[in-house]
Amino acid sequence: MLQAADTALAKYFTFSGRANRAEYWWWMLFMFLIGGTMYLVDAFLVAPAFGQSVTTSTGNTPASTVANLLLFLPSLTVSVRRLHDIDKSGFWLFVVFVPLIGALLLLYWSLKGGTMGSNDYGAPSY
C-alpha cells in the first residue's frame, strides 16, 4: 500500500503512462484510510475546539478539507493512468457524470485486468 501511495504521490502531475489494478486499488485504500483518519481528527480534535460534540459536528472539517484538496490531483492522475492500462483515454472519466451507469462503468473498468504488453499508452507497470 505504501509503495502505491509513494508511486501516486511521485507521479503527482503525471497523466501519461499506466497504473495496474494493484496500484489503483492500494491507492484507493490509502485514500480511504486518510479520509477516515482526517474525519477522526476533525470529530475529536477540531469539533471540540469549536464547542461542538462529535455527534453534532456538521461543519468545521479543516483536516478533511485540506487532505481532500492535496490528494485530489494524485487521485485523478492514478485514475487516468488506470484507464490507460485498459487502453482507454483518460477522458472516459467524464462518464461518471452519467447517473448510476457512469459510476458502474468506471467500477467495472477499474476491476478489469489491464492489456497485456504495450498499448497506446506505453508498457505495463508492474
Side-chain angles (χ1 to χ4, degrees), residues 3-49:
Q3 182 181 3
D6 186 48
T7 301
L9 292 173
K11 295 180 178 181
Y12 203 95
F13 297 105
T14 306
F15 287 91
S16 62
R18 295 168 63 173
N20 60 28
R21 272 187 295 192
E23 180 182 340
Y24 177 80
W25 285 108
W26 281 116
W27 172 256
M28 290 299 140
L29 177 61
F30 175 77
M31 290 289 299
F32 178 77
L33 293 174
I34 292 294
T37 302
M38 292 302 106
Y39 170 78
L40 293 174
V41 166
D42 286 332
F44 291 104
L45 297 177
V46 176

Side-chain angles (χ1 to χ4, degrees), residues 37-96:
T37 302
M38 292 302 106
Y39 170 78
L40 293 174
V41 166
D42 286 332
F44 291 104
L45 297 177
V46 176
F50 286 95
Q52 297 176 338
S53 71
V54 174
T55 58
T56 61
S57 177
T58 57
N60 302 320
T61 59
S64 298
T65 302
V66 169
N68 288 334
L69 288 174
L70 290 175
L71 297 176
F72 172 74
L73 192 56
S75 293
L76 184 65
T77 60
V78 78
S79 296
V80 167
R81 290 194 313 271
R82 178 68 195 123
L83 286 170
H84 288 174
D85 193 43
I86 61 167
D87 210 15
K88 300 232 179 273
S89 169
F91 287 108
W92 276 104
L93 275 179
F94 289 116
V95 77
V96 77

